[in-house]
Amino acid sequence: MCSCANFFDSLIVSVRSSCCGVGWRHSSLFTPLNFAISNGPASSQKQSPKFISAHASASSSDPLLVKAARGEPVNRPPAWMMRQAGRYMAVYRKLAEKYPSFRERSETTDLIVQISLQPWEAFRPDGVIIFSDILTPLPAFGVPFDIEDVRGPVIQSPIRSEEDLKALHPIDLEKLQFVGDSLNILRKEVGEQAAVLGFVGAPWTIATYIVEGGTTRTYTTIKSMCHTAPTLLRSLLSHLTKAIAEYVIYQVESGAHCIQIFDSWGGQLPPHMWEMWSKPYIDEIVRTVKQKCPQTPLVLYINGNGGFLERMKGTGVDVIGLDWTVDMTDGRKRLGSDISIQGNVDPACLFSPLPAITNEIKRVISSAGTKSHILNLGHGVLVGTPEDAVAHFFDVARSFDYDSRVENHATAEEPNMHYYVKLGPITVSPTRIAFTFSGEHYYIYTSLQYCSINQNLAINVTDDNSSPALAGRPLQALPLIFSATKLRHSTAHSPLLFHPVTPDATLSLCPHPSSLQ
């Protein structure tokens, strides 16, 4: 993952018309924000932000994302995207033309706020992440850096000796006041409608830049240091750990609801090496932050983390971010239900037709379960991603309802006449259908007039003219839909029809069509 605040490219607002149906959710209209952004970067203000208590207890007014991160009940998965603010948005590209320096855009309060709010104003995600960079705090503890157009981040004086270590000093948070001021403003603007997210780089990932002198594809210098200069590397990582922990607490006190820790290059280590050279320092950050900010959820993300999931859980964070190469069902099974998960739609999926995006989102949500899931991509938004696709991503997320398991994604391209759900072995008798679904046995007492079984062992319900109650009516409009997990056995007076769901989703049931007449 690239270092720069392109780390989080953003999302746009489109108020879409929604169909009204049973159990369907539809977007609200939002009033414009009243915060005025100046036309140019303002001089750095010397007033400290009005700190928000880091000890506040959990509240029913907490944003949806915070509740999901803590494992509290929610009615749908909250959604945001990594690289949520950035180059895929036309409004950002226009601003970048006026302010071509990335350091200026990410270190000037007015510009940080303006860019951070671009996706909020455009798409209304459930999380608004500050536009910044994992390298932003480096000068505050003695490591200056530049960002070049071709090479990216460049550190002119990498740390590779005991003498080099002497340049480091405790973090000076006054040099990061633009971060605190920006979070404070964002918290006021967003209120409790969405979570304000801060972020940091993990010590190992930050160390790769400091030791290698910038980005690298091989990590040979720092990896060899694990064996040739382990004491030196541990000293560097310990210094970074203390500085990053203080920086996390500063962000929370400035207004961040939640903090994500990016160990972007942790995945470049073999799992046993990550356990030695990255995990202990993340553990220490989590312990320090939890002592002072016990209610603040912490998210840990590693790019390429399929071999690390159980080890990541051992850090004590509240949420594990899955990249798109991890199967969500497998990830949930390995991590268990006592920790929240985030992710993990493939970013490239957003270049697909909207119905395909809808299906992938539904698959991920269904695989994650109805608790403790934050919908996100498995990596950052890719440059060139269509803004309509990003808008659709959030429309689908908002339309989901755990209680009814019915989604309103308002896409005209999707059919509404024939639907089926693949099941296990099916036995048919004149009065009932018996089948196995997810290891459970179900019996459906029904009039077979409304059901047929195809060669794929799926029950196929059609909008059939032979049924006056169904004739000419889309199946989505049938009322009183409830979950099959709540009704294992139907009665002769309440036979089943099947609502459109993904093949691995919980079945939905509704009354016999005759009850609609």
Side-chain angles (χ1 to χ4, degrees):
M1 179 175 284
C2 138
S3 136
C4 297
N6 299 321
F7 243 172
F8 310 98
D9 281 332
S10 268
L11 320 167
I12 286 192
V13 109
S14 83
V15 179
R16 298 179 168 231
S17 58
S18 312
C19 301
C20 293
V22 179
W24 290 3
R25 304 172 59 83
H26 45 282
S27 306
S28 343
L29 298 176
F30 295 84
T31 55
L33 299 173
N34 294 321
F35 177 65
I37 304 289
S38 68
N39 292 327
S43 59
S44 203
Q45 299 176 354
K46 295 301 177 186
Q47 295 179 342
S48 298
K50 295 180 180 178
F51 288 152
I52 296 169
S53 172
H55 303 277
S57 59
S59 164
S60 59
S61 64
D62 287 331
L64 189 69
L65 189 149
V66 174
K67 292 179 180 179
R70 292 186 185 135
E72 299 171 11
V74 292
N75 61 349
R76 66 169 177 86
W80 68 285
M81 289 184 178
M82 292 181 281
R83 291 187 184 165
Q84 187 166 277
R87 289 177 290 169
Y88 76 96
M89 295 186 72
V91 64
Y92 174 86
R93 295 194 298 272
K94 183 176 180 180
L95 183 143
E97 289 177 0
K98 187 174 182 179
Y99 304 104
S101 166
F102 175 81
R103 292 285 300 272
E104 181 181 16
R105 294 194 300 274
S106 62
E107 297 180 15
T108 305
T109 299
D110 285 355
L111 295 178
I112 294 170
V113 172
Q114 185 174 358
I115 294 169
S116 301
L117 289 176
Q118 285 174 349
W120 167 247
E121 294 166 348
F123 310 117
R124 283 304 195 266
D126 295 298
V128 174
I129 191 159
I130 185 172
F131 182 79
S132 186
D133 191 86
I134 61 171
L135 300 185
T136 294
L138 266 60
F141 53 79
V143 184
F145 73 97
D146 297 311
I147 294 181
E148 299 180 1
D149 290 340
V150 177
R151 295 177 61 192
V154 176
I155 294 172
Q156 298 292 352
S157 301
I159 294 178
R160 297 173 183 170
S161 68
E162 294 288 345
E163 185 67 24
D164 296 335
L165 276 177
K166 296 178 181 178
L168 300 180
H169 57 73
I171 191 168
D172 182 356
L173 293 173
E174 288 187 3
K175 293 183 177 179
L176 296 168
Q177 184 173 330
F178 56 87
V179 173
D181 290 342
S182 299
L183 286 167
N184 189 258
I185 295 169
L186 289 172
R187 181 68 177 261
K188 291 175 181 177
E189 288 303 310
V190 174
E192 303 304 313
Q193 297 179 72
V196 173
L197 305 172
F199 69 94
V200 295
W204 168 265
T205 289
I206 298 299
T208 64
Y209 291 97
I210 294 175
V211 171
E212 299 284 349
T215 57
T216 176
R217 293 186 177 182
T218 60
Y219 304 90
T220 51
T221 305
I222 190 169
K223 283 186 176 183
S224 65
M225 191 181 287
C226 294
H227 306 286
T228 61
T231 302
L232 171 63
L233 184 54
R234 288 192 184 98
S235 296
L236 173 60
L237 291 168
S238 295
H239 187 96
L240 295 176
T241 298
K242 188 174 187 302
I244 292 167
E246 291 184 38
Y247 186 40
V248 169
I249 293 168
Y250 175 70
Q251 291 187 48
V252 174
E253 291 177 338
S254 299
H257 288 98
C258 183
I259 300 290
Q260 179 149 319
I261 301 169
F262 283 90
D263 197 5
S264 306
W265 308 130
Q268 297 295 321
L269 289 169
H272 75 281
M273 291 287 284
W274 184 83
E275 191 108 31
M276 294 172 58
W277 293 103
S278 185
K279 183 178 182 295
Y281 304 98
I282 296 174
D283 291 348
E284 181 61 28
I285 290 172
V286 173
R287 280 194 296 269
T288 302
V289 173
K290 287 298 183 182
Q291 287 175 356
K292 292 195 174 182
C293 316
Q295 293 297 327
T296 300
L298 300 177
V299 185
L300 176 59
Y301 174 85
I302 298 176
N303 187 26
N305 60 14
F308 298 82
L309 298 186
E310 293 82 0
R311 291 174 170 87
M312 291 171 71
K313 184 177 181 180
T315 61
V317 295
D318 304 277
V319 185
I320 301 295
L322 304 183
D323 80 0
W324 80 97
T325 65
V326 178
D327 179 76
M328 178 59 78
T329 301
D330 181 57
R332 172 59 87 186
K333 182 178 180 180
R334 289 169 60 187
L335 289 169
S337 58
D338 58 339
I339 190 168
S340 296
I341 54 179
Q342 178 175 275
N344 69 339
V345 175
D346 183 351
C349 178
L350 296 181
F351 291 83
S352 305
L354 297 187
I357 298 173
T358 297
N359 290 338
E360 178 60 11
I361 293 171
K362 289 165 64 177
R363 183 194 66 80
V364 168
I365 292 175
S366 176
S367 299
T370 59
K371 182 185 176 185
S372 307
H373 175 223
I374 299 168
L375 182 65
N376 204 316
L377 301 179
H379 199 280
V381 183
L382 299 174
V383 176
T385 297
E387 294 185 30
D388 284 348
V390 175
H392 184 71
F393 180 95
F394 289 107
D395 286 346
V396 175
R398 277 188 294 270
S399 73
F400 211 88
D401 189 335
Y402 285 143
D403 294 331
S404 66
R405 299 303 298 267
V406 178
E407 308 86 33
N408 168 28
H409 35 79
T411 26
E413 296 109 308
E414 297 189 2
N416 62 4
M417 295 294 288
H418 301 276
Y419 301 97
Y420 64 89
V421 178
K422 291 185 178 180
L423 307 170
I426 297 175
T427 304
V428 181
S429 76
T431 59
R432 75 178 188 178
I433 297 175
F435 63 93
T436 302
F437 183 75
S438 296
E440 297 286 348
H441 298 290
Y442 294 83
Y443 299 93
I444 306 172
Y445 295 88
T446 183
S447 164
L448 296 184
Q449 174 184 356
Y450 301 108
C451 299
S452 63
I453 299 177
N454 66 21
Q455 293 179 348
N456 293 324
L457 291 181
I459 294 182
N460 192 36
V461 181
T462 62
D463 190 351
D464 190 359
N465 287 332
S466 64
S467 167
L470 289 177
R473 299 181 60 176
L475 293 184
Q476 299 102 310
L478 294 175
L480 302 176
I481 294 172
F482 46 92
S483 170
T485 59
K486 297 179 182 177
L487 185 67
R488 296 285 173 82
H489 304 280
S490 62
T491 68
H493 300 290
S494 179
L496 273 73
L497 295 176
F498 290 93
H499 195 81
V501 290
T502 56
D504 55 355
T506 302
L507 298 179
S508 298
L509 321 178
C510 69
H512 192 279
S514 62
S515 66
L516 301 177
Q517 294 178 331

